[in-house]
Amino acid sequence: MKALSRINRDEIPVEVMRRDIHAICGAFEIEPAGGSGTVHGLATKRTLGPFEAAFVSLDALSAERGPTCIRRDPGEHYFMLVQDHGQCVVHQNGTATLLKPGDMFVVDATRPSKFVYDGQPAHQISIHLPRAEMLGRFGTTCERGCAIDRDDPLWVALRAVLVKMLHSPPENRLPLGEAFYGILGACFHGRARQAEDASAQLLPRALKLIAQDYRDPDFGPAQLAARLGVSLRTLQRHFAPLSETPGQRLLKTRLAQAHDELAALGPGQSVAAVIYDCGFNDLSHFYRAFRSRYGVAPGKITPGRGASVQ
């Protein structure tokens, strides 16, 4: 990936870097590598088409915009971060995204974020997109920031406009700005559609995983949420239309299978083996749950009468 600008390796005190980034981008805490109190790099401001942009080189361990920084200096922009040299891991909204040269990430300056460089030289271009303009154009679809996938054809279009902005005269600023906003809008719209599709499929996927893995005694709601890539609270919200929690559905599935297998149990076959095979690892818990659901003890099940999960 051909770089758009040059990296700077001058050694400066970390306080100077912190001050310069604050003046251009807002308040950030900079953690230098090795405890030396210095970093190699530079932070400068440039006009990029109709936007202000920061060109930042540094080899710090990390740069963080936490709650204290946000309270001290509320964000009035989104930052379109373009990784130009080196690598960076962006932490925001509970996710970590690795940026390699050419990758782009829209950062929401009103939410905590952390940029991890691990002391390696990196250079980034940060295009400042006015918050009011972004929310006016795109509404809540841009509210939490997002990565721009380089496999998306829109990434190619964004990079092309970015290169054009780097080298165009002032009279081209307005049309280039509109082109940039237009492509960003398409990115946000596509992301919103993907999120809607993923949300619609979450409950069916969860029910399928429960049906597949209920026999594993270590498989619970937390493991289910992790497999689906969502928080436990999000998973619980998707189960609300069923008027049950993921844990209740999992227990119901295990009990129904145990009921069916106990009803078909032959002479000399082990009741305990059936219980353990259906995902239970506590016999007393199973007996209580079984009696609560079916009104009888497991040993009273009449062969041939099965139970189903409703």
Coordinates of all heavy atoms in Angstrom, one line a residue, residues 176-269:
L176 N -15.4 18.1 -3.8 CA -14.7 16.9 -3.2 C -15.3 16.6 -1.8 O -15.4 15.4 -1.5 CB -13.2 17.2 -3.1 CG -12.4 17.2 -4.4 CD1 -10.9 17.6 -4.1 CD2 -12.4 15.8 -5.0
G177 N -15.6 17.6 -1.0 CA -16.2 17.4 0.2 C -17.6 16.7 0.1 O -17.9 15.7 0.9
E178 N -18.4 17.1 -0.9 CA -19.7 16.4 -1.1 C -19.5 15.0 -1.6 O -20.2 14.1 -1.2 CB -20.5 17.2 -2.1 CG -21.1 18.5 -1.6 CD -21.9 18.3 -0.4 OE1 -22.8 17.4 -0.4 OE2 -21.8 19.0 0.6
A179 N -18.5 14.8 -2.4 CA -18.2 13.4 -2.8 C -17.8 12.5 -1.6 O -18.2 11.4 -1.5 CB -17.1 13.4 -3.9
F180 N -17.0 13.1 -0.7 CA -16.5 12.3 0.4 C -17.7 12.0 1.3 O -17.8 10.9 1.8 CB -15.5 13.2 1.2 CG -14.6 12.4 2.1 CD1 -13.6 11.6 1.7 CD2 -14.8 12.4 3.5 CE1 -12.7 10.9 2.5 CE2 -14.0 11.7 4.4 CZ -13.0 11.0 3.9
Y181 N -18.5 13.0 1.6 CA -19.7 12.7 2.4 C -20.6 11.7 1.8 O -21.2 10.9 2.5 CB -20.5 14.0 2.7 CG -20.0 14.9 3.8 CD1 -19.7 16.3 3.6 CD2 -19.8 14.4 5.1 CE1 -19.2 17.1 4.6 CE2 -19.4 15.2 6.1 CZ -19.1 16.5 5.9 OH -18.6 17.3 6.9
G182 N -20.8 11.8 0.5 CA -21.7 10.9 -0.2 C -21.2 9.4 -0.1 O -22.0 8.5 0.2
I183 N -19.9 9.2 -0.2 CA -19.4 7.8 -0.1 C -19.5 7.4 1.3 O -19.9 6.2 1.6 CB -17.9 7.8 -0.6 CG1 -17.9 8.2 -2.1 CG2 -17.4 6.3 -0.4 CD1 -16.5 8.4 -2.6
L184 N -19.2 8.3 2.3 CA -19.4 7.9 3.7 C -20.8 7.5 4.0 O -21.1 6.5 4.7 CB -19.0 9.1 4.6 CG -17.5 9.1 5.1 CD1 -17.4 10.3 6.1 CD2 -17.1 7.9 5.8
G185 N -21.7 8.3 3.5 CA -23.2 7.9 3.7 C -23.5 6.6 3.2 O -24.2 5.8 3.8
A186 N -22.9 6.2 2.0 CA -23.2 4.9 1.5 C -22.6 3.8 2.4 O -23.2 2.7 2.6 CB -22.6 4.7 0.1
C187 N -21.4 4.1 3.0 CA -20.8 3.1 3.9 C -21.7 2.9 5.2 O -21.9 1.8 5.6 CB -19.4 3.6 4.3 SG -18.2 3.6 3.1
F188 N -22.2 4.0 5.7 CA -23.0 4.0 6.9 C -24.3 3.2 6.6 O -24.8 2.4 7.4 CB -23.3 5.3 7.5 CG -22.1 6.0 8.1 CD1 -21.7 7.3 7.8 CD2 -21.4 5.3 9.1 CE1 -20.7 7.9 8.4 CE2 -20.3 5.9 9.7 CZ -19.9 7.2 9.4
H189 N -24.9 3.5 5.5 CA -26.1 2.9 5.1 C -26.0 1.4 5.0 O -26.8 0.6 5.5 CB -26.7 3.4 3.8 CG -27.9 2.8 3.3 ND1 -29.2 3.0 3.9 CD2 -28.2 1.9 2.3 CE1 -30.1 2.3 3.3 NE2 -29.5 1.6 2.3
G190 N -24.9 1.0 4.3 CA -24.6 -0.5 4.2 C -24.3 -1.1 5.5 O -24.8 -2.3 5.7
R191 N -23.6 -0.4 6.4 CA -23.4 -1.0 7.7 C -24.7 -1.1 8.5 O -24.9 -2.1 9.2 CB -22.5 0.0 8.4 CG -22.2 -0.4 9.9 CD -21.2 0.7 10.5 NE -21.1 0.4 11.9 CZ -21.3 1.3 12.9 NH1 -21.8 2.5 12.5 NH2 -21.1 1.0 14.1
A192 N -25.6 -0.2 8.4 CA -26.9 -0.3 9.1 C -27.7 -1.4 8.6 O -28.3 -2.2 9.4 CB -27.7 1.1 8.9
R193 N -27.7 -1.7 7.3 CA -28.4 -2.8 6.7 C -27.8 -4.1 7.2 O -28.6 -5.0 7.5 CB -28.4 -2.7 5.2 CG -29.2 -1.6 4.6 CD -30.7 -1.9 4.8 NE -31.1 -3.2 4.2 CZ -31.5 -3.3 2.9 NH1 -31.5 -2.3 2.2 NH2 -31.8 -4.5 2.5
Q194 N -26.5 -4.2 7.2 CA -25.9 -5.4 7.7 C -26.2 -5.7 9.2 O -26.5 -6.8 9.6 CB -24.3 -5.3 7.6 CG -23.9 -5.4 6.1 CD -22.4 -5.1 6.0 OE1 -21.7 -4.8 6.9 NE2 -21.9 -5.3 4.8
A195 N -26.2 -4.6 10.0 CA -26.6 -4.8 11.4 C -28.0 -5.2 11.6 O -28.3 -6.1 12.4 CB -26.4 -3.4 12.1
E196 N -28.9 -4.7 10.8 CA -30.3 -5.1 10.8 C -30.5 -6.6 10.4 O -31.2 -7.3 11.1 CB -31.2 -4.2 9.9 CG -31.3 -2.8 10.4 CD -32.0 -1.9 9.3 OE1 -32.4 -2.5 8.3 OE2 -32.2 -0.7 9.6
D197 N -29.8 -7.0 9.4 CA -29.8 -8.4 8.9 C -29.3 -9.3 10.0 O -29.8 -10.4 10.3 CB -29.0 -8.6 7.6 CG -29.7 -7.9 6.5 OD1 -30.9 -7.5 6.6 OD2 -29.0 -7.6 5.4
A198 N -28.1 -8.9 10.6 CA -27.5 -9.7 11.6 C -28.4 -9.8 12.9 O -28.5 -10.9 13.5 CB -26.2 -9.2 12.0
S199 N -29.1 -8.7 13.2 CA -30.0 -8.7 14.4 C -31.1 -9.7 14.1 O -31.6 -10.4 15.0 CB -30.4 -7.3 14.6 OG -31.3 -7.3 15.7
A200 N -31.7 -9.6 12.9 CA -32.8 -10.5 12.6 C -32.5 -11.9 12.6 O -33.4 -12.8 12.9 CB -33.4 -10.1 11.2
Q201 N -31.2 -12.3 12.4 CA -30.8 -13.7 12.4 C -30.3 -14.2 13.7 O -30.0 -15.4 13.9 CB -29.7 -13.9 11.3 CG -30.2 -13.8 9.9 CD -31.3 -14.8 9.6 OE1 -31.1 -16.0 9.9 NE2 -32.4 -14.4 9.0
L202 N -30.2 -13.3 14.7 CA -29.5 -13.6 15.9 C -30.3 -14.7 16.7 O -29.8 -15.7 17.2 CB -29.3 -12.4 16.8 CG -28.5 -12.7 18.1 CD1 -27.1 -13.1 17.8 CD2 -28.5 -11.4 19.0
L203 N -31.6 -14.5 16.9 CA -32.4 -15.5 17.6 C -32.5 -16.8 16.9 O -32.2 -17.9 17.6 CB -33.9 -14.9 17.8 CG -34.8 -15.9 18.6 CD1 -34.2 -16.2 20.0 CD2 -36.2 -15.2 18.8
P204 N -32.7 -16.9 15.6 CA -32.7 -18.3 15.0 C -31.3 -19.0 15.2 O -31.2 -20.2 15.4 CB -33.0 -18.0 13.5 CG -33.7 -16.7 13.5 CD -33.2 -15.9 14.7
R205 N -30.2 -18.2 15.1 CA -28.9 -18.8 15.2 C -28.7 -19.3 16.7 O -28.1 -20.3 16.9 CB -27.8 -17.7 14.9 CG -27.7 -17.4 13.4 CD -26.8 -16.2 13.2 NE -25.4 -16.5 13.7 CZ -24.6 -15.5 14.2 NH1 -25.0 -14.3 14.1 NH2 -23.4 -15.8 14.6
A206 N -29.2 -18.5 17.6 CA -29.1 -18.9 19.0 C -29.9 -20.2 19.3 O -29.3 -21.1 20.0 CB -29.6 -17.8 19.9
L207 N -31.1 -20.3 18.8 CA -31.9 -21.5 19.0 C -31.2 -22.7 18.3 O -31.3 -23.8 18.9 CB -33.3 -21.3 18.4 CG -34.1 -20.2 19.2 CD1 -35.4 -20.0 18.4 CD2 -34.3 -20.6 20.6
K208 N -30.6 -22.5 17.2 CA -29.9 -23.6 16.5 C -28.7 -24.1 17.3 O -28.5 -25.3 17.4 CB -29.5 -23.1 15.1 CG -28.8 -24.2 14.3 CD -28.4 -23.7 12.9 CE -27.7 -24.8 12.1 NZ -27.3 -24.3 10.7
L209 N -27.9 -23.1 17.9 CA -26.8 -23.5 18.7 C -27.2 -24.2 20.0 O -26.6 -25.2 20.4 CB -26.0 -22.3 19.1 CG -25.1 -21.7 18.0 CD1 -24.5 -20.4 18.4 CD2 -24.0 -22.7 17.6
I210 N -28.3 -23.8 20.6 CA -28.8 -24.5 21.8 C -29.2 -25.9 21.4 O -28.9 -26.9 22.1 CB -30.1 -23.8 22.3 CG1 -29.6 -22.5 23.0 CG2 -30.8 -24.6 23.3 CD1 -30.7 -21.6 23.6
A211 N -29.9 -26.1 20.3 CA -30.3 -27.4 19.8 C -29.1 -28.3 19.5 O -29.2 -29.5 19.7 CB -31.2 -27.3 18.6
Q212 N -28.0 -27.7 19.1 CA -26.8 -28.5 18.8 C -26.0 -28.8 20.0 O -25.4 -29.9 20.1 CB -25.9 -27.7 17.8 CG -26.5 -27.6 16.4 CD -25.6 -26.7 15.5 OE1 -24.7 -26.0 16.0 NE2 -25.9 -26.7 14.2
D213 N -25.9 -27.9 20.9 CA -24.8 -28.0 22.0 C -25.4 -28.2 23.4 O -24.6 -28.1 24.3 CB -23.9 -26.8 21.9 CG -23.2 -26.7 20.6 OD1 -23.0 -27.7 19.9 OD2 -22.7 -25.6 20.3
Y214 N -26.7 -28.4 23.5 CA -27.3 -28.5 24.9 C -26.7 -29.6 25.7 O -26.7 -29.6 26.9 CB -28.8 -28.6 24.8 CG -29.3 -30.0 24.3 CD1 -29.5 -31.0 25.2 CD2 -29.5 -30.2 23.0 CE1 -29.9 -32.3 24.7 CE2 -29.9 -31.4 22.5 CZ -30.1 -32.4 23.4 OH -30.5 -33.7 22.9
R215 N -26.1 -30.7 25.1 CA -25.6 -31.8 25.8 C -24.3 -31.5 26.5 O -23.9 -32.2 27.4 CB -25.4 -33.0 24.9 CG -26.7 -33.6 24.4 CD -26.5 -34.9 23.6 NE -27.7 -35.4 23.1 CZ -28.5 -36.2 23.7 NH1 -28.3 -36.6 24.9 NH2 -29.6 -36.7 23.1
D216 N -23.6 -30.4 26.1 CA -22.4 -30.0 26.8 C -22.7 -29.3 28.1 O -23.3 -28.2 28.1 CB -21.6 -29.0 25.8 CG -20.3 -28.5 26.4 OD1 -20.0 -28.9 27.5 OD2 -19.6 -27.8 25.7
P217 N -22.3 -29.9 29.2 CA -22.6 -29.3 30.5 C -21.9 -27.9 30.7 O -22.4 -27.1 31.6 CB -22.1 -30.3 31.5 CG -21.1 -31.1 30.8 CD -21.5 -31.1 29.4
D218 N -20.9 -27.6 30.0 CA -20.2 -26.3 30.1 C -20.8 -25.2 29.2 O -20.4 -24.1 29.2 CB -18.7 -26.5 29.8 CG -18.0 -27.4 30.8 OD1 -18.3 -27.3 32.0 OD2 -17.1 -28.1 30.4
F219 N -21.8 -25.6 28.4 CA -22.4 -24.7 27.5 C -23.6 -24.0 28.2 O -24.5 -24.6 28.6 CB -23.0 -25.4 26.3 CG -23.6 -24.6 25.2 CD1 -22.9 -23.7 24.5 CD2 -25.0 -24.6 25.0 CE1 -23.5 -22.9 23.5 CE2 -25.6 -23.8 24.1 CZ -24.8 -23.0 23.3
G220 N -23.4 -22.6 28.4 CA -24.4 -21.8 29.1 C -24.7 -20.6 28.3 O -24.2 -20.3 27.2
P221 N -25.5 -19.7 28.9 CA -25.8 -18.4 28.2 C -24.6 -17.6 27.9 O -24.5 -17.0 26.8 CB -26.7 -17.7 29.2 CG -27.4 -18.8 30.0 CD -26.3 -19.9 30.1
A222 N -23.6 -17.5 28.8 CA -22.4 -16.7 28.5 C -21.6 -17.3 27.3 O -21.2 -16.6 26.4 CB -21.5 -16.7 29.7
Q223 N -21.5 -18.6 27.2 CA -20.8 -19.3 26.1 C -21.6 -19.1 24.8 O -21.0 -18.9 23.7 CB -20.6 -20.8 26.4 CG -19.6 -21.1 27.4 CD -20.1 -20.8 28.8 OE1 -21.3 -20.7 29.1 NE2 -19.2 -20.5 29.7
L224 N -22.9 -19.1 24.9 CA -23.8 -18.9 23.7 C -23.6 -17.5 23.2 O -23.4 -17.3 22.0 CB -25.3 -19.1 24.1 CG -26.3 -18.8 23.0 CD1 -26.1 -19.7 21.8 CD2 -27.7 -19.1 23.6
A225 N -23.6 -16.5 24.1 CA -23.4 -15.1 23.7 C -22.1 -14.9 23.0 O -21.9 -14.2 22.0 CB -23.6 -14.1 24.8
A226 N -21.0 -15.5 23.6 CA -19.7 -15.4 23.0 C -19.6 -16.0 21.6 O -19.0 -15.5 20.7 CB -18.7 -16.1 23.9
R227 N -20.3 -17.2 21.4 CA -20.3 -17.8 20.1 C -21.0 -16.9 19.1 O -20.6 -17.0 17.9 CB -21.0 -19.2 20.2 CG -20.3 -20.2 21.0 CD -19.4 -21.1 20.2 NE -20.1 -21.8 19.2 CZ -20.7 -23.0 19.4 NH1 -20.6 -23.5 20.7 NH2 -21.3 -23.7 18.5
L228 N -22.0 -16.2 19.5 CA -22.7 -15.3 18.6 C -22.0 -13.9 18.4 O -22.5 -13.1 17.6 CB -24.1 -15.1 19.1 CG -25.0 -16.4 19.1 CD1 -26.3 -16.2 19.9 CD2 -25.3 -16.8 17.6
G229 N -21.0 -13.7 19.2 CA -20.3 -12.4 19.1 C -21.1 -11.2 19.7 O -21.0 -10.1 19.2
V230 N -22.0 -11.4 20.7 CA -22.8 -10.3 21.3 C -22.6 -10.4 22.8 O -22.2 -11.4 23.3 CB -24.3 -10.4 20.9 CG1 -24.4 -10.3 19.3 CG2 -24.9 -11.7 21.4
S231 N -23.1 -9.3 23.4 CA -23.1 -9.3 24.9 C -24.3 -10.2 25.4 O -25.2 -10.4 24.7 CB -23.2 -7.9 25.4 OG -24.5 -7.4 25.1
L232 N -24.2 -10.6 26.6 CA -25.2 -11.4 27.2 C -26.5 -10.6 27.3 O -27.6 -11.1 27.1 CB -24.8 -11.9 28.6 CG -25.8 -12.8 29.4 CD1 -26.1 -14.0 28.5 CD2 -25.2 -13.2 30.7
R233 N -26.4 -9.3 27.6 CA -27.6 -8.4 27.7 C -28.3 -8.4 26.3 O -29.5 -8.4 26.2 CB -27.2 -7.0 28.1 CG -28.4 -6.1 28.3 CD -28.0 -4.8 28.9 NE -27.5 -5.0 30.2 CZ -27.1 -4.0 31.0 NH1 -27.1 -2.7 30.6 NH2 -26.7 -4.2 32.2
T234 N -27.5 -8.2 25.2 CA -28.1 -8.2 23.9 C -28.8 -9.5 23.6 O -29.9 -9.5 23.0 CB -27.0 -7.9 22.8 OG1 -26.4 -6.6 23.0 CG2 -27.5 -8.0 21.4
L235 N -28.2 -10.6 23.9 CA -28.8 -11.9 23.7 C -30.1 -12.0 24.5 O -31.1 -12.5 23.9 CB -27.8 -13.0 24.2 CG -28.3 -14.5 23.9 CD1 -28.5 -14.8 22.5 CD2 -27.3 -15.4 24.6
Q236 N -30.1 -11.6 25.7 CA -31.3 -11.7 26.5 C -32.4 -10.8 25.9 O -33.6 -11.2 25.9 CB -31.1 -11.2 27.9 CG -30.2 -12.1 28.7 CD -29.7 -11.5 30.0 OE1 -29.6 -10.3 30.2 NE2 -29.3 -12.4 30.9
R237 N -32.1 -9.7 25.3 CA -33.1 -8.8 24.7 C -33.7 -9.5 23.4 O -34.9 -9.4 23.2 CB -32.4 -7.5 24.2 CG -33.4 -6.5 23.7 CD -32.7 -5.1 23.6 NE -31.7 -5.1 22.7 CZ -30.4 -4.9 23.0 NH1 -30.0 -4.8 24.2 NH2 -29.5 -4.9 22.0
H238 N -33.0 -10.3 22.7 CA -33.5 -11.0 21.6 C -34.4 -12.1 22.0 O -35.2 -12.6 21.1 CB -32.4 -11.5 20.6 CG -31.8 -10.4 19.8 ND1 -30.9 -9.4 20.2 CD2 -32.0 -10.1 18.4 CE1 -30.6 -8.6 19.2 NE2 -31.3 -9.0 18.2
F239 N -34.2 -12.7 23.2 CA -35.1 -13.7 23.6 C -36.4 -13.2 24.3 O -37.3 -14.0 24.5 CB -34.4 -14.6 24.7 CG -33.6 -15.7 24.1 CD1 -32.4 -15.6 23.5 CD2 -34.1 -17.0 24.1 CE1 -31.7 -16.6 22.9 CE2 -33.5 -18.1 23.6 CZ -32.2 -17.9 23.0
A240 N -36.5 -11.9 24.4 CA -37.7 -11.3 25.1 C -39.0 -11.7 24.4 O -40.0 -12.0 25.1 CB -37.5 -9.8 25.2
P241 N -39.1 -11.7 23.0 CA -40.3 -12.1 22.4 C -40.8 -13.5 22.8 O -42.0 -13.8 22.6 CB -40.0 -12.0 20.9 CG -38.9 -11.0 20.8 CD -38.1 -11.3 22.0
L242 N -39.9 -14.4 23.2 CA -40.3 -15.7 23.6 C -40.7 -15.8 25.1 O -41.1 -16.9 25.6 CB -39.1 -16.7 23.4 CG -38.5 -16.8 22.0 CD1 -37.4 -17.8 22.0 CD2 -39.6 -17.2 21.0
S243 N -40.6 -14.6 25.8 CA -41.0 -14.6 27.2 C -40.1 -15.5 28.0 O -40.6 -16.1 29.0 CB -42.5 -14.8 27.4 OG -43.2 -13.9 26.7
E244 N -38.9 -15.6 27.7 CA -37.9 -16.5 28.4 C -36.5 -16.0 28.2 O -36.3 -15.2 27.3 CB -38.1 -17.9 28.0 CG -37.7 -18.2 26.6 CD -38.0 -19.7 26.2 OE1 -38.5 -20.4 27.1 OE2 -37.6 -20.1 25.1
T245 N -35.6 -16.4 29.1 CA -34.2 -16.0 28.9 C -33.5 -17.1 28.2 O -34.0 -18.3 28.0 CB -33.6 -15.8 30.3 OG1 -33.5 -17.1 31.0 CG2 -34.4 -14.8 31.1
P246 N -32.3 -16.9 27.7 CA -31.5 -17.9 27.1 C -31.3 -19.1 28.0 O -31.3 -20.3 27.6 CB -30.2 -17.3 26.7 CG -30.5 -15.8 26.6 CD -31.6 -15.6 27.6
G247 N -31.0 -18.8 29.3 CA -30.9 -19.9 30.3 C -32.1 -20.8 30.4 O -32.0 -22.0 30.6
Q248 N -33.3 -20.1 30.4 CA -34.5 -20.9 30.6 C -34.8 -21.8 29.3 O -35.2 -22.9 29.5 CB -35.7 -19.9 30.8 CG -35.7 -19.2 32.1 CD -36.7 -18.1 32.2 OE1 -37.0 -17.5 31.2 NE2 -37.0 -17.8 33.4
R249 N -34.5 -21.2 28.1 CA -34.6 -22.1 26.9 C -33.7 -23.2 27.0 O -34.0 -24.4 26.6 CB -34.4 -21.2 25.7 CG -34.2 -22.0 24.4 CD -35.4 -22.9 24.1 NE -36.6 -22.2 23.8 CZ -37.4 -22.4 22.7 NH1 -37.1 -23.3 21.8 NH2 -38.5 -21.7 22.6
L250 N -32.4 -23.0 27.4 CA -31.5 -24.1 27.4 C -31.9 -25.2 28.4 O -31.9 -26.4 28.1 CB -30.1 -23.6 27.8 CG -28.9 -24.5 27.9 CD1 -28.7 -25.3 26.6 CD2 -27.7 -23.8 28.3
L251 N -32.4 -24.8 29.6 CA -32.9 -25.7 30.6 C -34.1 -26.5 30.1 O -34.2 -27.7 30.2 CB -33.2 -25.0 31.9 CG -33.8 -25.8 33.0 CD1 -32.9 -26.9 33.4 CD2 -34.2 -25.0 34.2
K252 N -35.0 -25.8 29.4 CA -36.2 -26.4 28.9 C -35.8 -27.5 27.8 O -36.4 -28.6 27.8 CB -37.1 -25.4 28.2 CG -38.4 -25.9 27.7 CD -39.2 -24.9 26.9 CE -39.6 -23.7 27.7 NZ -40.5 -22.8 26.9
T253 N -34.8 -27.2 27.0 CA -34.3 -28.1 26.0 C -33.7 -29.4 26.6 O -34.0 -30.5 26.2 CB -33.3 -27.4 25.1 OG1 -33.9 -26.3 24.5 CG2 -32.8 -28.4 24.0
R254 N -32.9 -29.2 27.6 CA -32.3 -30.3 28.3 C -33.4 -31.2 29.0 O -33.3 -32.4 29.0 CB -31.3 -29.8 29.3 CG -30.0 -29.3 28.7 CD -29.1 -28.6 29.6 NE -27.8 -28.3 29.0 CZ -26.9 -27.4 29.4 NH1 -27.2 -26.6 30.5 NH2 -25.8 -27.2 28.8
L255 N -34.3 -30.5 29.7 CA -35.4 -31.3 30.4 C -36.2 -32.0 29.4 O -36.6 -33.2 29.7 CB -36.2 -30.3 31.2 CG -35.6 -29.7 32.4 CD1 -36.5 -28.6 33.0 CD2 -35.3 -30.8 33.5
A256 N -36.6 -31.4 28.3 CA -37.4 -32.1 27.3 C -36.7 -33.3 26.7 O -37.3 -34.4 26.6 CB -37.8 -31.2 26.2
Q257 N -35.4 -33.2 26.5 CA -34.7 -34.4 25.9 C -34.5 -35.5 27.0 O -34.7 -36.6 26.7 CB -33.3 -33.9 25.5 CG -32.5 -35.0 24.8 CD -33.2 -35.5 23.5 OE1 -33.9 -34.8 22.8 NE2 -33.0 -36.8 23.2
A258 N -34.3 -35.0 28.2 CA -34.2 -36.0 29.3 C -35.5 -36.7 29.5 O -35.6 -38.0 29.7 CB -33.8 -35.3 30.6
H259 N -36.6 -36.0 29.4 CA -38.0 -36.6 29.5 C -38.2 -37.6 28.5 O -38.6 -38.8 28.7 CB -39.0 -35.5 29.4 CG -40.4 -36.0 29.7 ND1 -41.1 -36.8 28.8 CD2 -41.3 -35.8 30.7 CE1 -42.3 -37.0 29.2 NE2 -42.5 -36.4 30.4
D260 N -37.9 -37.3 27.2 CA -38.1 -38.2 26.1 C -37.2 -39.5 26.3 O -37.7 -40.6 26.1 CB -37.7 -37.6 24.8 CG -38.7 -36.6 24.3 OD1 -39.8 -36.6 24.9 OD2 -38.4 -35.8 23.4
E261 N -35.9 -39.3 26.7 CA -35.1 -40.5 26.8 C -35.4 -41.3 28.1 O -35.3 -42.5 28.0 CB -33.6 -40.0 26.9 CG -33.1 -39.3 25.6 CD -31.6 -39.0 25.6 OE1 -30.9 -39.6 26.4 OE2 -31.2 -38.2 24.8
L262 N -35.9 -40.7 29.1 CA -36.3 -41.5 30.3 C -37.6 -42.2 30.0 O -37.8 -43.4 30.5 CB -36.5 -40.5 31.5 CG -35.3 -39.9 32.1 CD1 -35.7 -38.9 33.1 CD2 -34.4 -41.0 32.7
A263 N -38.5 -41.6 29.2 CA -39.7 -42.3 28.8 C -39.4 -43.6 28.0 O -40.2 -44.5 28.0 CB -40.6 -41.4 28.0
A264 N -38.3 -43.6 27.3 CA -38.0 -44.7 26.4 C -36.9 -45.6 27.1 O -36.4 -46.5 26.4 CB -37.4 -44.2 25.1
L265 N -36.6 -45.4 28.3 CA -35.6 -46.1 29.0 C -35.9 -47.6 29.1 O -37.0 -47.9 29.6 CB -35.3 -45.5 30.4 CG -33.9 -45.8 31.0 CD1 -32.8 -45.1 30.2 CD2 -33.9 -45.2 32.4
G266 N -35.0 -48.5 28.8 CA -35.2 -49.9 28.9 C -34.8 -50.4 30.3 O -34.1 -49.7 31.0
P267 N -35.1 -51.7 30.6 CA -34.8 -52.3 31.8 C -33.2 -52.3 32.0 O -32.5 -52.6 31.1 CB -35.3 -53.7 31.7 CG -36.4 -53.6 30.7 CD -36.0 -52.6 29.7
G268 N -32.8 -52.0 33.2 CA -31.4 -52.0 33.5 C -30.6 -50.8 33.0 O -29.4 -50.7 33.3
Q269 N -31.2 -49.9 32.3 CA -30.5 -48.7 31.8 C -30.4 -47.7 32.9 O -31.3 -47.6 33.7 CB -31.1 -48.2 30.5 CG -31.0 -49.1 29.3 CD -31.7 -48.5 28.1 OE1 -32.9 -48.2 28.1 NE2 -30.9 -48.3 27.0

